[in-house]
Amino acid sequence: MKRGLISALVIIMFMSAIETSIVSLATPAIGKDLGVHESLALIFTSYMIAIVIITPLVGEIMKRLGSKYTMIAGITVFIIGSMLSGASFTFPMLVASRLIQGFGAGIMMTMGSIIPKIAFEIPYRYKVMGIVGSVWGISSIVGPLLGGLILTYLKWSFLFYINVPVAIIAIVLVLKFFKFDEQPSKSKLDVKGLALFYAFLSCVIVGFALGNTLSIAIYVAALILLYLFIKFEFKVAAPFLPVRSFNKKIGITMGTDMIYAMMLMGTNIFLPFYLQTEKGLTPLMSGLTTFSISVFWLTSTFILKHVERKLSVKQVYQLSFLYMIIGASIILLTESVIAVTIGCIFLGLSYGTVFTKNVVTIQESAAPQELGSMMSAYSLLKFIGSTTGSVVMSFVYYSNVLSNIHNNMAVMVIIAIILIIIYQMIYRGKVVR
């Protein structure tokens, strides 16, 4: 049962994780085939917007369908989007198909954070979270290799069709191994709360997309809508988002996760780019160099239970921030590829500890009936952190303060030092385990 559940989660998360890296290789071929050049970024933008839109709803869907059928719904939508993407003969059709695919991916990724809480107890859950989390690093190597092979011998549409047989295997595993005792909720849907939240989210997306002076007014409107949303949710018996359950512990956890998601983009996107453009490594060699992040991400989850026996919550986080300082400093102060590999070891320990500890903290803090909603909010904030992080870290990378990747590493060192200080102040005098 455990092996079946873990296999299902790994396959589902792998499909979601590999999608961006594998499709990015095909953009030149897609542009040539469909006669589009300047708007190719919409292939990725539509996918990400769909994830942002659907993620907050996953908790509500799960309340009504249960985890098994919510996951099957997500995989099915993903299959439909993949098939339509592969069959697209116009660019608007491809963008619309990617939107559908993104809806499915958003459900799968959010459920991937919820299922371990339902199925596994701590400390075994740490191992499961580590295995599932390491899939993202593995996909960064497998994606370019698989994509290159497909583009060499087949048409770009097969990059999407390849998802179909894998997704069918995932559905079979879900049907066989997702056996949880759940009762569908009959609570009334919080329509007004949903409307206010999506109005707020729309303002954030539009403001981010515009990126000009008008964005300031849109962000102000977003803050007003957020205030109205929170105020309204406090009055609702069955709120769309359980704001009453948010406390300092959940707030600092989600904030830390969002910041770490931003920093992860500075590593995942720009470290391979640096190794290939500045160090002349092949995509495969750069992938193998940074693969130590995934290996030690997984390692950190296996040793986390032992670390927690000896250290308080504050000390666990501060140790992980120290890992970040050491890893980023090694890459910042050296030019050697071997040194980069060593630095990635410490980065992997830091990311693995923080992300695993964060998701388990949210899982354990949420009441059973609020788990889906709380994890949806967590997943949304993490994805927003990743999306904004790709923009912020791009700006940092190309700034002229230092040179390329060293800018990113310097910023990551500074952020880690600030986080150590913040956690020292928040947990002052407390020995919380």
Side-chain angles (χ1 to χ4, degrees):
M1 181 65 73
K2 286 181 178 180
R3 286 196 296 269
L5 277 167
I6 294 170
S7 299
L9 288 172
V10 166
I11 291 172
I12 288 163
M13 296 307 285
F14 184 75
M15 284 191 295
S16 305
I18 202 172
E19 190 57 33
T20 301
S21 62
I22 197 171
V23 173
S24 62
L25 293 172
T27 47
I30 292 172
K32 184 179 179 181
D33 248 17
L34 302 181
V36 178
H37 299 287
E38 295 180 359
S39 305
L40 280 172
L42 286 173
I43 298 172
F44 305 99
T45 305
S46 59
Y47 184 78
M48 290 188 289
I49 287 175
I51 294 174
V52 170
I53 291 170
I54 196 65
T55 297
L57 279 174
V58 176
E60 288 293 328
I61 297 170
M62 194 184 90
K63 283 180 187 177
R64 286 155 176 78
L65 296 182
S67 54
K68 176 191 286 190
Y69 294 107
T70 301
M71 185 68 92
I72 289 174
I75 299 170
T76 303
V77 172
F78 186 80
I79 290 175
I80 293 169
S82 297
M83 292 180 69
L84 289 172
S85 295
S88 295
F89 51 87
T90 66
F91 189 66
M93 181 180 175
L94 178 59
V95 172
S97 301
R98 285 285 284 172
L99 199 68
I100 295 170
Q101 196 182 29
F103 286 140
I107 296 172
M108 292 192 301
M109 285 190 284
T110 306
M111 290 302 297
S113 298
I114 295 173
I115 296 300
K117 160 66 177 176
I118 300 172
F120 305 105
E121 294 295 328
I122 294 173
Y124 190 77
R125 196 190 314 162
Y126 286 153
K127 298 179 181 180
V128 176
M129 298 299 297
I131 292 168
V132 173
S134 65
V135 167
W136 293 89
I138 296 169
S139 69
S140 67
I141 296 176
V142 176
L145 289 174
L146 182 60
L149 284 171
I150 291 172
L151 289 172
T152 301
Y153 299 104
L154 300 167
K155 196 172 179 285
W156 60 263
S157 55
F158 283 89
L159 292 174
F160 298 104
Y161 292 145
I162 196 69
N163 290 319
V164 178
V166 179
I168 290 171
I169 293 171
I171 288 177
V172 172
L173 289 172
V174 169
L175 286 170
K176 185 175 181 180
F177 295 106
F178 277 42
K179 297 177 180 179
F180 311 120
D181 185 19
E182 298 174 293
Q183 293 297 323
S185 172
K186 295 180 181 179
S187 60
K188 188 178 178 182
L189 184 64
D190 179 16
V191 177
K192 187 174 179 180
L194 274 168
L196 285 170
F197 182 81
Y198 275 98
F200 156 74
L201 198 58
S202 299
C203 286
V204 172
I205 293 171
V206 171
F208 187 74
L210 288 176
N212 54 31
T213 51
L214 183 60
S215 297
I216 298 173
I218 295 173
Y219 286 139
V220 171
L223 288 173
I224 294 170
L225 286 165
L226 180 61
Y227 168 76
L228 293 173
F229 167 72
I230 293 172
K231 186 178 179 181
F232 176 77
E233 292 296 272
F234 270 108
K235 301 176 183 178
V236 183
F240 156 63
L241 189 66
V243 293
R244 284 188 294 265
S245 299
F246 278 75
N247 52 34
K248 185 170 73 173
K249 183 179 181 180
I250 291 176
I252 189 65
T253 299
M254 288 192 175
T256 302
D257 209 83
M258 193 171 176
I259 292 168
Y260 253 65
M262 293 177 66
M263 291 196 291
L264 184 60
M265 291 300 101
T267 305
N268 280 0
I269 295 175
F270 296 101
L271 194 52
F273 182 77
Y274 162 76
L275 290 170
Q276 291 174 48
T277 58
E278 300 294 325
K279 294 299 180 182
L281 299 187
T282 63
L284 176 60
M285 287 305 299
S286 70
L288 291 173
T289 301
T290 57
F291 189 57
S292 54
I293 293 177
S294 299
V295 173
F296 283 86
W297 184 318
L298 181 59
T299 302
S300 70
T301 62
F302 279 85
I303 64 173
L304 185 54
K305 64 177 180 180
H306 303 293
V307 174
E308 285 188 323
R309 287 178 190 152
K310 300 179 182 297
L311 303 177
S312 65
V313 170
K314 177 182 74 173
Q315 291 168 335
V316 169
Y317 277 106
Q318 289 186 325
L319 177 63
S320 66
F321 302 148
L322 181 61
Y323 289 148
M324 176 64 69
I325 292 170
I326 295 171
S329 296
I330 290 172
I331 299 172
L332 171 64
L333 300 173
T334 61
E335 294 286 341
S336 166
V337 173
I338 295 175
V340 171
T341 305
I342 296 170
C344 286
I345 290 172
F346 288 97
L347 294 181
L349 288 170
S350 183
Y351 287 131
T353 304
V354 169
F355 283 128
T356 304
K357 185 65 179 172
N358 283 350
V359 72
V360 170
T361 298
I362 301 298
Q363 289 170 347
E364 294 301 305
S365 300
Q369 69 274 15
E370 295 175 349
L371 177 63
S373 299
M374 195 67 80
M375 291 309 300
S376 292
Y378 167 81
S379 298
L380 176 64
L381 284 174
K382 186 172 183 177
F383 189 78
I384 289 174
S386 299
T387 306
T388 54
S390 62
V391 176
V392 171
M393 286 301 182
S394 176
F395 174 79
V396 171
Y397 186 89
Y398 290 108
S399 64
N400 295 319
V401 180
L402 297 172
S403 61
N404 46 62
I405 198 65
H406 300 102
N407 289 312
N408 292 36
M409 295 300 119
V411 167
M412 289 162 64
V413 168
I414 293 168
I415 291 173
I417 292 171
I418 293 171
L419 286 172
I420 287 177
I421 295 170
I422 290 172
Y423 272 75
Q424 181 65 32
M425 293 172 63
I426 290 174
Y427 288 99
R428 183 180 296 171
K430 296 181 181 179
V431 184
V432 184
R433 292 190 182 275

